[in-house]
Every structure is written in structure tokens, then in C-alpha cells.
Amino acid sequence: MTLPDTSMSPAGADRTFQVDLRGLVDLLSHHLYSSPRVYLRELLQNAVDALTARYAHEPGAAQGDFGIRLHADGSSVRVEDDGVGLTEADVHTFLATIGRSSKRADRIAEQRGDFIGQFGIGLLSCFLVADEIHVLSRSARTPGAPAVEWRGRGDGSYTVRTLPASARPRPGTTVTLTPRTDAAEWTAPAQVRALAQHFGSLLRHPVTFDDGGSGPAPVNPEPAPWALTHPTPGARSRALAGYGEDVLGFTPLDTIELDLPAVGLKGIACVLPDTVPAGRRHGHRVHVKGMLLSERAEEILPEWAFFVRCVVDAESLRPTASREALYEDDTLAAVRDALAERLRAWLATTAASDPDLLGRFLRVHHLAVKSLAVHDDEILRMLLPWLPFETTDGHATLDEFARAHRTVLVTSSVEEFRQVAAIASAAGLGVVNGGYTYDRELVHRLPEIRPEVTVADLDPATLTAHLDTVDRETELAAAAYLALARDALAVFDCDVALRTFQPASAPALLVDSREARHERTRSQLAREQEGGLWGDILGHLRQEAPRAQLILNQLNPLVRTAVTIDEPELARTSAEALYGQAAMLSRRPLRPAESSLINRSFLDLLAHALRKDR
């Protein structure tokens, strides 16, 4: 890297930025690259690009004629390639300049689609593990070209000299690093080999590693499994699944082959065998021209596809500056849409031809499919009847549930479903829990698939209409108790009624929605703030606050005993106890006043029992 001229210059003259190379390397290591290990990936990328240029320069060469050789013995790391090599002008242009453009660099940039990396900044990553970089190169473009040696140092200085062609008998480039002691973790022979296999397992050029002991060993002996031919479709499917298991670490529920010729993308999507929490997106392994770019590329698939993990190799995807993620552009958007369509096609094929696999898939990933079906009419029509829901008949598919119930009622929350499930089931009502993500919206779309089915929201009037009234004589006998109960529960804006319903083991049903409680709370605040600005605002919004209902079950022995109590305080206490029990059975969060009521009514009942014993 050349430093600017710091001599005196006229006022107002243009000046050149000074670059502190050590500071730049520190910036790269802490903010651009995720780890010092990327130095080996950058060296491999440069070598692969040099081989690509060599094949373009010599179109008659056979694939495999040129390769990459790695050496690491603990004292140095060396990367040799049979690529196109560099001239002295190339060295000054590409190795000693960061960010500066030249006519040749511009021409090469226009051909960037054939290369993985970019010149200049990539080589700086080597300063993450070494204080000096030695490059020896000989160009294949000029017969008899001399060798060129470049030595770059971490302080920003470098030297260039020309050597006889015999210094490097064959065209290509050798990069040698002398590691710093604090970088031994990343430059030990075993680590270098592991990093080479990690980044370069799918490279299309032969890569070998030599630790100076047992001789060269192949880093990428086998091409990608999707590039191989197999005797049968079953053998191919097993090979792809085995590769997915080896690379991703789990046995896939199924393997989906991916092939997008327009962008040169091939690979597999492995269906996860376990449930994934909604919204959690898995990273995918993305290779660009065989080089591993990222293991955490979330952007390759849409958010709803969190039930798969992918391994892909692409030709036309554009890396970011760090080459550890994908650049968000039109090509990536098109790839994402095409892969999403491939997953939809897999769902359609599975639904049509393999109901057993579909059942196993939906048991694990029904939430992912529900999120897709909300916005995808084709998936909705195809899979909605198969999706499981929580209903008053237990967990069932909507298809099964609709055959038993021509009118399907749906709650707006889990809490409401739990309040009414047992009683609605005993009354023969078909109720679906619509409180989970996507469920209520999907149930309301059931008539699009089953026109003979009617779907409606469950409201208190619907439920109470199915509860049997008691005879007039029984209601009159209980009137005094019901009046005391209403007075005791007025603080909760709760009415009290006497009905008969199944199961008889349920003493009371508390019918109360979250929206009704919020409205009552708002109304109470309005009353408390009456006269102030906030009170005026709340009063303007005031509506008739819907009341909760405590419905006592005349079939229950506890209720039949309670309504005969003629002692006012004991009657009030028993009503409070019945309200507290019903509130707990609804499984909704208790308000502080309700928790206090439950404790107080229990203590009052104990006190009454103790007084009676005396």
C-alpha cells in the first residue's frame, strides 16, 4: 500500500486520505468478519478465481487440469494455485491498492459473474492471523513471463521485485503466511485442514492438504450429491437425505430437491423432524460457486418456511462485502420466490400422493402450514381440511369436525374456549378454539372449502340459549339467594342466574370475555377520573359495559345446597366462593380483587363452620 505525499502543498489543493492499515485490519476483524478463520476462505476464493480466469484464458484445458494445494506445518500456511497468475502491474493494482479503480479493474468487474470474491480487501483478512504476507506469482497470459514477488506488512508497507521465471516454474500464485503466536488457534495444521473442508467441500476444482507428514490428502474428494447420478430415484433420495443428515445434524422427515437453472442453484431442503417455535428462522447453508458463504443465511427463504433447513449452491447470488451473507437484490428476491414455490409444490404432491407423510408432517409443523394457508389460497384449499385444531370433540381436523357439526362455533381466545368447552360439548355444540395464532381466521374460511358448513363466533347468548331453564317453583325458591348473590358480586359487574346443564359436576359457569373486562375497567376509570381531561376522554368513549354472568348449575349438589341458605352473610360468602371457583376453572388470569375474594370467602366459610361446631 502506498502512503500519500505529506510534503507541503498549496492552500486549497486536493489531498489524499492516509490509511492506517493496522486500524483498518482491526476494523475488519471486529466489524466486517465474524472470525479470523475467514482468512483461509479468502485465500481459497482468490485461488478459485485465478483458476476460473486460467480456464477462460485456456479454453482447451480439461476440468481438473489445474488445482489448489494447501500446506500447513505449524510454522507457516501456504496456498498454491495453478491459476492465471499476476504480472507486476497486476500486483500493484490488486495487492497494494484498496478501493482504487483502474481501467483493467473496471473491465474485470464487468466479468464479476465468473468469480467468487473481489480484489483488494480480501487479502487484508490474512493480517488477522499474520504480520506479513508473501506472494509469489507468475502470469499465464505472457509466455516466459518473469515471476513477481510481493511482501506486504501489517504496518502498511510493501515491496515488489521481479524474479527469474525459474523462481516459479509454472504459472500460478503461492501465498505464504507466517502466523503470529496469538493466531496459533487458526493456523495449526489440523485447524487449517478443518477450515478447508468447511469452506471448500463443494468446490469444483481439486483441493489437497499437506501437513508435511503423510502427504497430500483431498479436501473435496466427492462432488455435491445432487451433481451425481444414481441408479434409481430411491437411491438418489437416500443419498440426498444422508448428505443432509451429515451436514445439518438431524435425520430429515423428508428431503426436497431444489433446482433453479435460471440462477444456477441446486441443493436440498430438509424437513425438520421436530416442531419449531413460530417465528424462529433457521439459518441455511449457502454456497456460491462451491464456496461456503454462510451457515446462517435466513434470507434465502420466506419467513413461513421455518420447517426446513437448506443446503444450496448457486452461481448468480451476490455476496455482501464480508462475503458472509447475501446481498438483498432482485435476484435474491426472485430466488426466494422460486424456492417458496418449490416448497408449495412439495406440499401439494405430498397431500395428493403420500397421506401418511403428510400426517406426520402436519403433526409436527401444522403452525407453519397455518401461517402459509392464511395468505395462500391454494394451500388453504389443499390442506385446511387436514389441519388439526383444538375442539370440543378433542384435537381433530376441520374435515372430521365439520362432518359432525354443520354449524361450527369459534371462540376468540383460548380463555373463552376453556370456559365453555365442557359445557358446550355436553350441550352438543361444536366449538373450535380460535385463540391460537391463525386458527380463528382459518376456521372462518372453512365454508370456502365446505360450503355446507356455517361458521360463527361464539358469544354468551349462543351458549346460554343452550342451557335449560329451571322450573318456576325452583326459581322462586332460589330468588332470595340469587338476590344476595347478585349484591355480593356487584363489585365485579357480574349477574347471577340459575340454570341446568351438563356436566352436573360443574357447579357454575362464568361467562366473561376479555373485551368485556377491559370495557368495565375503562368505565370504572372514567368514573374515578370524572371531571378531569382524562375522565372526559374516557367518558366520550363510554359504552354500556357488558356484564359478566355467573350461571349456577341446579343439577350440582353444591348449588342445590347453597340456594337453600337463609342466613344472609353465609349466602353472600357461598356466592363469592362459587364465583371464585368458576373464575379459577376458566383458567384466565385472576385480578387482585378476585384472588382476595377467593381467600376471604374460604376463611369466612371456615370461620362459620368453626362457630357452628361450638
Side-chain angles (χ1 to χ4, degrees), residues 23-35 128:
L24 181 57
V25 170
D26 182 69
L27 178 67
L28 293 177
S29 62
H30 289 94
H31 300 284
L32 184 62
Y33 295 125
S34 61
S35 164
L128 300 175

Side-chain angles (χ1 to χ4, degrees), residues 68-184:
I68 303 170
R69 295 168 295 282
L70 304 178
H71 304 263
D73 57 10
S75 61
S76 67
V77 176
R78 189 168 75 253
V79 180
E80 300 177 2
D81 68 68
D82 300 320
V84 74
L86 300 171
T87 64
E88 183 176 356
D90 293 335
V91 166
H92 286 289
T93 300
F94 300 129
L95 302 188
T97 304
I98 300 173
R100 182 180 299 168
S101 178
S102 69
K103 290 183 179 180
R104 184 175 176 204
D106 289 340
R107 288 196 303 271
I108 291 176
E110 293 173 0
Q111 303 169 353
R112 217 64 221 135
D114 293 332
F115 299 94
I116 302 172
Q118 299 183 29
F119 292 111
I121 200 169
L123 193 64
L124 287 183
S125 65
C126 294
F127 285 119
L128 300 175
V129 298
D131 284 327
E132 182 174 287
I133 305 170
H134 176 260
V135 178
L136 182 62
S137 187
R138 181 182 168 194
S139 176
R141 300 181 188 277
T142 305
V148 182
E149 179 189 65
W150 179 87
R151 289 183 183 271
R153 288 169 285 276
D155 60 5
S157 63
Y158 73 93
T159 59
V160 178
R161 61 173 180 158
T162 301
L163 301 176
S166 58
R168 199 181 196 288
R170 297 192 302 173
T173 301
T174 301
V175 180
T176 305
L177 309 179
T178 301
R180 297 195 307 269
T181 55
D182 62 349

Side-chain angles (χ1 to χ4, degrees), residues 493-563:
D493 288 314
C494 183
D495 195 9
V496 183
L498 185 65
R499 297 285 188 273
T500 63
F501 54 85
Q502 296 292 337
S505 58
L509 168 66
L510 181 60
V511 180
D512 192 16
S513 68
R514 181 184 296 129
E515 291 76 13
R517 291 196 303 277
H518 288 175
E519 177 61 28
R520 292 197 299 273
T521 300
R522 191 198 55 74
S523 298
Q524 181 180 355
L525 285 172
R527 290 192 297 271
E528 294 173 353
Q529 299 289 336
E530 193 169 354
L533 175 62
W534 183 240
D536 292 342
I537 294 172
L538 292 173
H540 180 73
L541 297 174
R542 183 179 301 167
Q543 302 174 1
E544 184 65 29
R547 305 193 74 191
Q549 269 196 313
L550 180 67
I551 302 175
L552 304 179
N553 187 3
Q554 175 64 18
L555 299 180
N556 183 267
L558 176 60
V559 171
R560 287 202 302 270
T561 301
V563 297

Side-chain angles (χ1 to χ4, degrees), residues 345-471:
W346 174 82
L347 286 170
T349 302
T350 304
S353 62
D354 196 340
D356 180 62
L357 174 59
L358 180 67
R360 287 186 284 123
F361 169 74
L362 291 179
R363 281 194 293 273
V364 177
H365 296 297
H366 56 87
L367 186 58
V369 177
K370 287 178 179 179
S371 69
L372 175 58
V374 166
H375 308 290
D376 191 310
D377 291 344
E378 182 181 353
I379 294 298
L380 176 79
R381 290 190 298 271
M382 184 189 313
L383 295 180
L384 181 60
W386 295 83
L387 291 171
F389 290 81
E390 185 178 8
T391 76
T392 46
D393 292 350
H395 282 84
T397 66
L398 284 186
D399 196 51
E400 296 169 337
F401 196 68
R403 285 199 295 267
H405 304 278
R406 283 293 181 260
T407 298
V408 175
L409 303 173
V410 57
T411 65
S412 60
S413 68
V414 174
E415 170 192 317
E416 289 178 1
F417 179 80
R418 289 172 176 170
Q419 289 179 29
V420 306
I423 294 162
S425 177
L429 296 176
V431 182
V432 178
N433 186 351
Y436 295 115
T437 307
Y438 312 117
D439 283 15
R440 183 167 176 266
E441 184 175 355
L442 288 173
V443 174
H444 272 286
R445 297 189 66 180
L446 180 60
E448 299 176 29
I449 315 299
R450 299 284 183 268
E452 70 278 9
V453 176
T454 300
V455 176
D457 288 327
L458 177 69
D459 58 37
T462 303
L463 181 64
T464 54
H466 284 77
L467 304 181
D468 295 329
T469 58
V470 297
D471 59 73

